[in-house]
Amino acid sequence: GWDEDGHHFEESLHYEGRAVDITTSDRDKSKYGTLSRLAVEAGFDWVYYESKAHIHCSVKAENSVAAKSGGCFPGSASVSLADGGRKYVRDLAPGDRVLAADERGALTATDFITFLDAEPAATRLFYVIETESGERLALTAAHLLFVESNGTEARGHMTAVYASTVTAGHKVFVVREPGDVLAPVTVKRIYLQAREGSFAPLTARGSLVVDHVLASCYAVVEDHELAHWAFAPVRFAHWLSGLLRPREKGAAAAAARADGVHWYSDVLYRLGTWVLDGRAMHPLGVSRPSS
């Protein structure tokens, strides 16, 4: 359905998670009629013979849970707090202190600032990363996740990659007790699952621990350091407002709870489409309403 080699044109529905090309394992064209009828019964809005080799199937935008899903976690994802507690990502508010990682990869406390995207009623398609020790982290295709770098010398070092590129055998970083330290744990399997709610929290450190797994706050571009630099103005505004208006928590909370894509994220995305090569941005990297 979705390829990494650019076999489809740039605006293809394949890159929105809305289209597939199907055939039978034996390539028997006499079975294509039955196959197309089954596709219609399965709920596809468009089914037709695109070529002699396959049948094209696609759905309308309002029927797709994958279309432009941005970089988010489901509302039911659990965030680790600095005081040892946990909180649903949908319930985070300014003033919350959450667990994150510092530049050396050690756990530290950091401020939750705002949501870069918040869609409480949206249904999105999430990649569920399941580890050998039982952790399950759900995040959208374009979201960045920290994995252990390849090579013996790089063992224990972190690299941020798209969730859609994580495979079984990769090692993600999980909070381990006692001592609350980050340890690399092997990914057992990855599967797709539709869930309700879509939230992209931003912290001062640019990372956070979700469902016991360390993840980046960023998405769309596969460069955590670049994204963290790009959001420096938001972090500075948060720091400055804390100095000048330390008691105005109500206004900050209302701003953080505003639904939709944060205006600064939208500006950065538009700017990125102008200055970056199209291949530098994930094809599912900007959130769109599900209806």
Side-chain angles (χ1 to χ4, degrees):
W2 179 74
D3 70 89
E4 297 179 350
D5 301 317
H7 291 156
H8 302 95
F9 63 91
E10 186 175 346
E11 297 300 321
S12 171
L13 298 184
H14 287 272
Y15 299 126
E16 294 187 13
R18 294 168 49 196
V20 292
D21 297 330
I22 60 175
T23 183
T24 58
S25 59
D26 58 4
R27 304 279 180 171
D28 185 350
K29 294 181 176 61
S30 67
K31 299 177 182 177
Y32 282 13
T34 301
L35 185 62
S36 62
R37 286 193 296 272
L38 290 172
V40 172
E41 292 177 6
F44 284 100
D45 298 305
W46 297 96
V47 178
Y48 64 93
Y49 293 92
E50 190 173 49
S51 76
K52 294 180 179 180
H54 64 261
I55 297 168
H56 176 87
C57 310
S58 59
V59 295
K60 297 177 183 177
E62 58 267 28
N63 291 340
S64 174
V65 296
K68 298 298 184 183
S69 54
C72 302
F73 304 99
S76 58
S78 178
V79 176
S80 296
L81 303 180
D83 62 6
R86 298 174 69 182
K87 199 172 191 179
Y88 289 131
V89 65
R90 61 175 178 253
D91 296 329
L92 287 175
D96 285 339
R97 298 276 288 171
V98 303
L99 279 185
D102 62 18
E103 296 79 4
R104 298 170 297 169
L107 283 174
T108 186
T110 190
D111 290 337
F112 165 74
I113 297 176
T114 190
F115 287 112
L116 300 179
D117 189 6
E119 300 286 346
T123 299
R124 298 280 187 239
L125 191 64
F126 294 92
Y127 281 71
V128 182
I129 314 295
E130 183 178 340
T131 71
E132 289 186 344
S133 54
E135 290 81 15
R136 292 183 180 88
L137 172 67
L139 64 176
T140 48
H143 204 102
L144 296 182
L145 176 64
F146 295 107
V147 299
E148 188 176 53
S149 303
N150 292 325
T152 304
E153 295 182 357
R155 189 167 296 167
H157 292 180
M158 299 179 183
T159 300
V161 300
Y162 292 132
S164 61
T165 64
V166 176
T167 60
H170 267 125
K171 290 187 177 181
V172 296
F173 289 86
V174 173
V175 176
R176 280 283 179 257
E177 297 178 353
D180 283 345
V181 296
L182 288 168
V185 177
T186 303
V187 173
K188 178 181 178 181
R189 64 170 180 149
I190 299 98
Y191 55 94
L192 297 174
Q193 188 174 73
R195 294 191 183 181
E196 186 176 350
S198 181
F199 295 86
L202 175 66
T203 70
R205 286 283 184 178
S207 62
L208 74 168
V209 175
V210 181
D211 291 323
H212 303 290
V213 181
L214 179 68
S216 171
C217 292
Y218 307 118
V220 183
V221 176
E222 201 172 24
D223 190 326
H224 174 82
E225 287 74 21
L226 176 62
H228 193 57
W229 174 85
F231 278 93
V234 179
R235 297 195 304 277
F236 177 74
H238 168 72
W239 173 80
L240 189 62
S241 65
L243 289 179
L244 301 180
R245 297 178 295 177
R247 297 183 180 180
E248 294 185 15
K249 294 183 179 179
R257 297 300 307 175
D259 292 350
V261 178
H262 192 284
W263 69 268
Y264 188 79
S265 297
D266 189 50
V267 169
L268 278 185
Y269 178 80
R270 294 176 186 275
L271 182 63
T273 59
W274 295 336
V275 302
L276 296 177
D277 187 301
R279 290 172 295 182
M281 305 177 75
H282 198 285
L284 297 179
V286 59
S287 179
R288 289 290 181 263
S290 60
S291 59

